[in-house]
Amino acid sequence: MDFLDKLGETIATKGKEVTDKAKEAAQIANLKSQINTCEDVIKKNYIEIGKLYYEKHGAMPEEEYEEACRAIGNAQNGVADLEAKIRELKGI
């Protein structure tokens, strides 16, 4: 009987450890999901701040933002050119 009691205790202990680890993993996954949500909010707002800055100062940016603003302007011109080519190919 002693052997079966010890076996039962071992199984119960291991089962609790597995359950505890599973709960911990679920909590960590939940926290990581919340972190990702917060980082998405941060990223979205950084983008919005940059967009607002570009709209306000893109033509005359401060020196430290000049290169990025020029890159945005070049990309916008590239998009406009490519869209014009698409319209041309469609015969619009």
Side-chain angles (χ1 to χ4, degrees):
M1 228 21 191
D2 212 23
F3 172 75
L4 293 178
D5 289 339
K6 286 186 181 187
L7 181 60
E9 287 177 22
T10 301
I11 291 172
T13 302
K14 292 296 180 186
K16 184 176 178 347
E17 288 176 14
V18 169
T19 300
D20 290 346
K21 288 288 184 185
K23 285 180 184 177
E24 181 182 297
Q27 289 174 332
I28 290 171
N30 185 346
L31 292 170
K32 285 184 177 184
S33 175
Q34 291 178 42
I35 289 170
N36 287 336
T37 299
C38 290
E39 288 175 341
D40 288 344
V41 168
I42 292 167
K43 194 179 302 182
K44 177 184 173 208
N45 283 283
Y46 274 150
I47 290 168
E48 185 62 25
I49 289 168
K51 181 180 175 187
L52 293 171
Y53 179 89
Y54 182 79
E55 288 172 355
K56 187 171 184 178
H57 303 285
M60 299 286 286
E62 295 175 31
E63 185 176 335
E64 61 191 292
Y65 303 108
E66 191 174 328
E67 185 177 333
C69 287
R70 188 173 38 256
I72 290 171
N74 290 341
Q76 287 174 331
N77 291 335
V79 168
D81 291 345
L82 295 168
E83 287 174 341
K85 288 178 183 180
I86 291 170
R87 285 191 301 278
E88 183 181 314
L89 289 171
K90 287 184 171 182
I92 299 174

